Amino acid sequence: MTESTTETAPRQDDEQSRLFERLTGTWKVTGGASGTVTYRPLEGGHFLLQTIELEQHGQPVTGLEVIGREKPFGAEEPGEDILSRFYDNQGHTFVYVYEPAGDTLTIWGGEKGSPAYYRGEFSADGNTLSGAWVYPGGGGYESSMTRATPLD
C-alpha cells in the first residue's frame, strides 16, 4: 500500500483567524485621521466588528465595519477573500478587501489591485500597525495604530 505525500492545504479560515486575533482590541490611531478603533469578534468567530471614533479633516467620523469571508445564501463554503463593508455617520458605504501576508496588511478599496489601498506593517510585538493610505491621482496619508487595550 502506498502512502500519499500530498500536503494538506491550510484551512481557509486560518489566515482570517490570525488576522482577527492580531486586530482584536482597542487601538489609538494617529496620522491623517486620529482617535480610536475597536475590533471585536462576532460570536462564532466568522466576523470581526470594527467601531471607529476618529477625527479627519476637522470632522468627527464614527462608523461600523463588518470584516470576514462572505458566504451568500445557499453557499456551502465562504469565499476566498476577506471582505468588509464599512458604514459611517456621513452616509458613506465602503467595501474593502483585507489581504494579510505575514506582518504586512493590505486593505484594498473596492477590490484587490485597486489604486486605492492601505498597506501597513505590524511591529515585532504586534502592538503597532504602521503604513499609509494611497489614493489614485495622489493624496492619501500616513496612518499608525498602537494597541491601547487588548480584548478578551
Side-chain angles (χ1 to χ4, degrees):
M1 189 192 272
T2 345
E3 288 186 33
S4 171
T5 57
T6 306
E7 288 187 29
T8 304
R11 286 180 28 146
Q12 185 176 20
D13 64 354
D14 286 348
E15 184 176 71
Q16 177 175 289
S17 295
R18 282 191 299 275
L19 176 64
F20 286 8
E21 288 172 15
R22 288 188 107 168
L23 290 174
T24 296
T26 298
W27 299 75
K28 179 180 177 190
V29 177
T30 57
S34 60
T36 60
V37 297
T38 300
Y39 295 90
R40 298 181 194 309
L42 186 63
E43 187 174 341
H46 300 282
F47 297 97
L48 191 66
L49 304 178
Q50 177 188 197
T51 54
I52 71 163
E53 293 182 20
L54 299 173
E55 184 175 309
Q56 187 173 30
H57 307 299
Q59 298 293 316
V61 180
T62 58
L64 171 69
E65 183 175 22
V66 180
I67 305 163
R69 289 195 164 91
E70 288 188 341
K71 186 177 175 185
F73 184 74
E76 292 188 28
E77 296 294 326
E80 181 178 324
D81 291 334
I82 302 169
L83 304 176
S84 79
R85 292 201 186 270
F86 174 79
Y87 307 90
D88 73 15
N89 62 315
Q90 298 172 0
H92 297 112
T93 305
F94 299 124
V95 175
Y96 296 103
V97 178
Y98 280 65
E99 185 177 23
D103 288 333
T104 302
L105 175 60
T106 303
I107 304 171
W108 300 100
E111 60 187 35
K112 275 187 185 176
S114 166
Y117 62 91
Y118 170 83
R119 183 161 294 130
E121 297 286 328
F122 283 97
S123 61
D125 66 4
N127 289 321
T128 303
L129 178 61
S130 296
W133 283 97
V134 175
Y135 298 135
Y141 59 90
E142 291 189 18
S143 181
S144 187
M145 296 192 328
T146 303
R147 190 183 311 274
T149 58
L151 292 181
D152 295 329

